[in-house]
């Protein structure tokens, strides 16, 4: 579950489509349309990327 940094809405991983551009990964909140940044936390050697929300205020 992700939480929108703007409105606090809890969003299931499968409920949104993760988008990737040159600034990085993000998803759009379905409640307020805020762009929520995601970071790749995959360990070195992992085949797939692993996305998570940055912890704490950025
Ligand atoms: Zn929101």
């Amino acid at each position: 579950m992700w939480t929108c940094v703007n409105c606090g809405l809890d969003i299931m991983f499968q409920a949104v489509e993760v988008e990737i551009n040159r600034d990085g990964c993000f998803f759009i909140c379905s409640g307020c349309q805020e762009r929520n940044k995601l970071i790749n936390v995959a360990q070195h050697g992992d085949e797939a990327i692993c996305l998570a929300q940055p912890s704490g205020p950025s």
Side-chain angles (χ1 to χ4, degrees):
M1 192 105 80
W2 284 323
T3 303
C4 176
V5 295
N6 187 49
C7 71
L9 186 70
D10 288 331
I11 299 167
M12 300 298 287
F13 299 130
Q14 59 267 47
V16 289
E17 193 140 343
V18 173
E19 300 184 50
I20 301 174
N21 65 13
R22 27 174 221 174
D23 294 328
C25 304
F26 63 94
F27 69 89
I28 302 296
C29 173
S30 54
C32 70
Q33 312 304 309
E34 173 78 6
R35 179 187 292 202
N36 284 263
K37 188 170 168 52
L38 297 171
I39 55 173
N40 185 1
V41 294
Q43 298 298 304
H44 196 66
D46 282 356
E47 287 186 19
I49 61 171
C50 181
L51 295 169
Q53 287 192 288
S55 55
S58 54

